[in-house]
Amino acid sequence: MNATPAATPPVSVIMPVLNEERHLRNSVRHILEQEYDGEMEVVIALGPSTDRTDEIAAELVSEDPRVHTVPNPTGRTPAALNAAIKASRHPIVVRVDGHGMLSANYIATAVRLLEETGAQNVGGIMHAEGENDWEHAVAAAMTSKVGVGNASFHTGGEAGPAETVYLGVFRREALEQQGGYNEEFIRAQDWELNFRIREAGGLIWFSPELKVQYRPRPSVKALAKQYKDYGRWRHVVARYHQGSINLRYLAPPTALCAVAAGIVVGAALTPLGFVVPAGYLAGITAGSVPAGKGLPLKARLQIPVALATMHMSWGYGFLTSPRALAKKVIASRRPAVRTASA
């Protein structure tokens, strides 16, 4: 259902991209074909890609006057987001990644929810979908509670206030009040920004009406790096913002320590030590059964591998996160973000 003309403010869609030749054109198509009556612009922040991303972006600019690009020489996501925000001009700012596919009425629904709830940022479900057996397995793991706990933007749930949401549709004044994204946070920049908005009294709103298709990492190695970085930077957020941690974030490092201790005890002292890693393996295997419902056998068999990779990598990143990162972040100044016309 489209928003009514009275509720269709112009929107700016911002996209940080780096090596996105596989999905960029399709992602932008999902934006330009939105069922939205208001004016729209798309600002793509281009990192130093080594594939055809820049060429595809140039084609998109030539094909549609609503599409623009800005450089992001650092290649870092928060710097790209701030550059795109600065180059954009509309009162509603929609964040989309280069491998994210918006549902047809995503923007219209988000604008309506901003008006109905008074929120500063609204977001919905990170709907992971794979294109092969491994990616199907990762998608199943990322949308199951055994994989990500009770994170509503992964698993769904009822609409309501949230700590953070996937991507986000913001009121520009909220971004400007906070000075945009903290560019020291290479990862977890969304969580960190949403924490600051909440600390300032703003409302972050989750709604299952909002859905973005997400393409999982294509290999075990890539998934491990992704989740190691998630854990590493989530620990930085915990150091930077006291009181921002909860039990869900402590589960992966606890599981990693328990499994490692069990292996050591089992190998050095008593076979009983292997009960812990065996129990963990049994747990993720059992949890993969409902998660893999309807998937091909080869995909279902890989779900425990995806789960273990996510848990252990996140836990390892959290436990080994250097304290020097937190010191650097705390000492940094958040860059001011202004509109292109300011």
Side-chain angles (χ1 to χ4, degrees):
M1 176 175 161
N2 289 357
T4 63
T8 51
V11 300
S12 298
V13 182
I14 58 172
M15 299 183 70
V17 300
L18 179 69
N19 294 325
E20 290 286 2
E21 69 172 1
R22 182 180 174 192
H23 300 299
L24 179 59
R25 177 170 287 278
N26 197 25
S27 181
V28 172
R29 178 179 65 80
H30 278 75
I31 297 169
L32 298 177
E33 294 179 358
Q34 284 287 296
E35 298 172 359
Y36 188 68
D37 296 329
E39 183 182 350
M40 181 191 305
E41 65 174 351
V42 181
V43 182
I44 304 172
L46 295 171
S49 297
T50 57
D51 61 7
R52 294 183 59 251
T53 296
D54 287 9
E55 180 181 338
I56 294 169
E59 293 171 355
L60 292 167
V61 170
S62 67
E63 293 165 5
D64 196 303
R66 293 174 292 177
V67 182
H68 313 279
T69 61
V70 292
N72 173 35
T74 70
R76 294 181 174 183
T77 299
L81 291 166
N82 282 342
I85 293 168
K86 185 176 181 180
S88 66
R89 55 196 174 90
H90 293 319
I92 306 298
V93 179
V94 182
R95 177 184 170 175
V96 183
D97 284 344
H99 47 270
M101 314 295 165
L102 300 185
S103 53
N105 63 348
Y106 180 90
I107 292 178
T109 302
V111 170
R112 172 175 60 79
L113 289 171
L114 283 173
E115 179 64 25
E116 290 177 353
T117 65
Q120 300 299 303
N121 180 21
V122 300
I125 295 175
M126 178 182 178
H127 186 63
E129 292 185 353
E131 296 181 328
N132 54 47
D133 288 328
W134 166 250
E135 291 180 4
H136 287 315
V138 176
M142 292 180 70
T143 53
S144 69
K145 289 190 175 181
V146 70
V148 294
N150 62 350
S152 57
F153 68 88
H154 280 296
T155 61
E158 296 183 359
E163 289 184 344
T164 191
V165 290
Y166 180 53
L167 301 179
V169 177
F170 299 83
R171 298 180 188 272
R172 178 177 292 275
E173 61 260 30
L175 294 172
E176 293 182 345
Q177 180 185 28
Q178 295 303 322
Y181 291 83
N182 189 322
E183 295 187 10
E184 295 298 332
F185 282 89
I186 299 173
R187 293 284 185 269
Q189 66 274 157
D190 293 308
W191 205 102
E192 195 275 337
L193 173 59
N194 285 321
F195 183 89
R196 284 189 278 127
I197 291 174
R198 289 188 290 111
E199 286 289 285
L203 174 65
I204 310 298
W205 188 266
F206 166 81
S207 173
E209 293 182 76
L210 299 172
K211 184 180 292 186
V212 182
Q213 293 179 13
Y214 169 85
R215 297 290 184 252
R217 295 298 193 269
S219 67
V220 174
K221 181 179 179 181
L223 182 68
K225 183 181 185 303
Q226 177 187 20
Y227 272 78
K228 183 193 76 173
D229 288 344
Y230 282 170
R232 182 186 196 193
W233 284 94
R234 188 60 189 83
H235 201 164
V236 175
V237 175
R239 295 190 188 113
Y240 186 46
H241 295 298
Q242 296 296 319
S244 66
I245 202 69
N246 60 42
L247 292 177
R248 177 164 67 87
Y249 297 112
L250 296 177
T254 300
L256 175 60
C257 290
V259 169
I263 292 173
V264 171
V265 170
L269 299 175
T270 171
L272 290 176
F274 290 117
V275 169
V276 174
Y280 172 77
L281 180 60
I284 61 174
T285 301
S288 70
V289 174
K293 186 177 181 181
L295 293 179
L297 177 61
K298 189 173 180 181
R300 295 201 305 270
L301 293 175
Q302 295 183 81
I303 294 175
V305 178
L307 289 169
T309 301
M310 291 161 55
H311 294 162
M312 298 297 105
S313 300
W314 204 103
Y316 177 79
F318 188 91
L319 292 171
T320 60
S321 178
R323 287 193 170 274
L325 282 177
K327 292 177 182 177
K328 183 178 180 182
V329 167
I330 292 170
S332 70
R333 293 183 64 219
R334 290 190 284 274
V337 171
R338 295 286 186 266
T339 63
S341 60

